[in-house]
Amino acid sequence: MGESSLSARKDATTKERLLSTEDRCIYCSNRLDRTNITIEHMPPIVMFRGRRRPQGMEFATCKACNNGTRGADTVAAFMARISPHDVRNDWRWAEALELRRALKIDAPGVYEEFVNSLEKTSIVRNGVIIRGAFVSNTPMGLGNRYLDIFASKFAMAIYRHACGKALPLNGEFVYGVFLNAGLRQEDYELLLSIMPINDRLAQGEFVSDPQFSIRMNTDRRGIVISLAHFNDGLHIFSLSYADKDLYGRLQFPEQYKRGQPGHLLEMLPPRPPQPPFKIDPSGLLLPRSIRRPRRR
């Protein structure tokens, strides 16, 4: 039996298992059945080196939420590979370059915005210039919108993982997104001090850290606080809770945002209009409605 057949059988089995434990998309109010259920991997497969991901943290979502937010997953996977360290000969740098094409398709405009935001600087230690570097000093409005969607997905998925049920539609979550060195050391240490549970994906000896790890605290019933690391380029803080009356009045700095289930697709930025023509691989300029026949 071919590898694709085995993969299809595995996906079908996983969908049946998820459908037996979940009747609602973990991100919205859509009811799930065999026609619209999809498998959501959080973190997504694209986040991992060579797309090699340990099993675990697989959730039931509807096709609209899963497929519609693919761009957010791609942006997060790209940014997670942008390290504050010198990784030009590292797999992260090579895979970030490989992700450029997917980024341009799934999240148009983000790559160009990212490149245009970079400014040349130097890394200095003890008064000595260690190496040249690029920093992003210009806010990435489009990129940040996609990262907000990814962080919202993560907050709801981790609530489902910790509490065993989807965040109620009238529940709420708070999140903060930090790129590479953007999380201050004192804030990092404070958050870790209140999150005793150290979690990761593991499949035998194959484990997800340092590509992905999470620290969290939860009562396993209605509140989860977490700090997740994706490589060393992306960090997400999240607090998800079912009782807005009790926790909704907590105050957070302005860089933290709030959200509720059911609004992911509303957060998507509008896609730029496509030109009426496309360049065929052979070099021909063709209307987008025309497809060249496949060679047999």
Side-chain angles (χ1 to χ4, degrees):
M1 183 177 293
E3 184 178 343
S4 60
S5 298
L6 289 173
S7 177
R9 287 184 61 184
K10 178 185 173 184
D11 285 350
T13 301
T14 303
K15 286 181 180 179
E16 288 296 324
R17 175 176 57 82
L18 292 175
L19 192 58
S20 68
T21 59
E22 201 84 64
D23 62 352
R24 197 204 94 199
C25 173
I26 66 168
Y27 298 142
C28 72
S29 61
N30 283 343
R31 313 304 294 182
L32 296 177
D33 57 39
R34 288 177 176 81
T35 65
N36 74 339
I37 185 173
T38 59
I39 303 171
E40 169 75 306
H41 300 83
M42 182 53 71
I45 295 172
V46 70
M47 186 68 72
F48 293 87
R49 182 179 184 179
R51 299 178 62 86
R52 185 167 176 254
R53 181 189 189 275
Q55 294 179 359
M57 294 190 186
E58 298 169 344
F59 308 99
T61 61
C62 67
K63 289 181 180 179
C65 285
N66 199 351
N67 297 340
T69 57
R70 179 179 299 174
D73 294 349
T74 306
V75 172
F78 176 81
M79 297 308 303
R81 288 166 169 81
I82 306 300
S83 172
H85 307 295
D86 192 349
V87 295
R88 283 171 293 181
N89 297 320
D90 188 270
W91 67 269
R92 290 168 292 181
W93 181 251
E95 290 201 354
L97 294 178
E98 290 178 2
L99 276 171
R100 287 179 298 179
R101 182 173 181 275
L103 198 61
K104 291 178 180 181
I105 295 173
D106 297 339
V110 171
Y111 179 74
E112 292 77 9
E113 179 185 68
F114 171 73
V115 172
N116 292 335
S117 74
L118 297 179
E119 297 179 13
K120 189 68 181 287
T121 187
S122 299
I123 301 296
V124 180
R125 292 178 183 169
N126 299 324
V128 178
I129 296 178
I130 303 299
R131 62 180 173 87
F134 286 94
V135 296
S136 177
N137 287 325
T138 305
M140 295 201 318
L142 189 59
N144 287 339
R145 289 183 69 174
Y146 280 106
L147 289 173
D148 283 345
I149 295 171
F150 182 80
S152 298
K153 291 176 62 176
F154 184 79
M156 288 184 278
I158 290 305
Y159 181 94
R160 173 64 180 84
H161 172 66
C163 296
K165 56 188 175 184
L167 181 66
L169 294 174
N170 61 348
E172 192 174 58
F173 53 86
V174 178
Y175 63 88
V177 180
F178 307 92
L179 297 177
N180 56 57
L183 183 59
R184 296 188 309 171
Q185 185 67 27
E186 54 266 36
D187 293 339
Y188 173 78
E189 293 174 354
L190 174 62
L191 290 172
L192 289 189
S193 69
I194 60 175
M195 299 182 194
I197 303 173
N198 191 11
D199 206 353
R200 63 184 181 179
L201 293 175
Q203 188 174 343
E205 296 181 355
F206 178 32
V207 296
S208 63
D209 55 344
Q211 296 183 64
F212 164 69
S213 61
I214 182 172
R215 291 288 293 266
M216 64 180 177
N217 204 344
T218 176
D219 64 356
R220 302 283 184 189
R221 296 190 306 273
I223 182 170
V224 183
I225 182 172
S226 71
L227 179 63
H229 308 279
F230 306 87
N231 294 303
D232 56 1
L234 176 64
H235 315 277
I236 293 179
F237 165 86
S238 69
L239 170 63
S240 305
Y241 44 86
D243 192 340
K244 285 196 300 181
D245 293 336
L246 185 58
Y247 300 107
R249 287 170 286 188
L250 294 175
Q251 297 298 311
F252 291 88
E254 61 180 11
Q255 68 265 34
Y256 292 84
K257 300 177 182 179
R258 297 178 186 269
Q260 286 185 275
H263 299 285
L264 283 181
L265 300 184
E266 297 173 14
M267 298 169 66
L268 285 171
R271 295 178 69 89
Q274 291 185 321
F277 296 94
K278 63 181 177 181
I279 299 178
D280 185 81
S282 65
L284 295 175
L285 192 64
L286 298 175
R288 287 194 171 272
S289 58
I290 295 180
R291 293 186 179 181
R292 290 176 66 91
R294 293 183 179 179
R295 293 183 178 179
R296 296 185 179 275

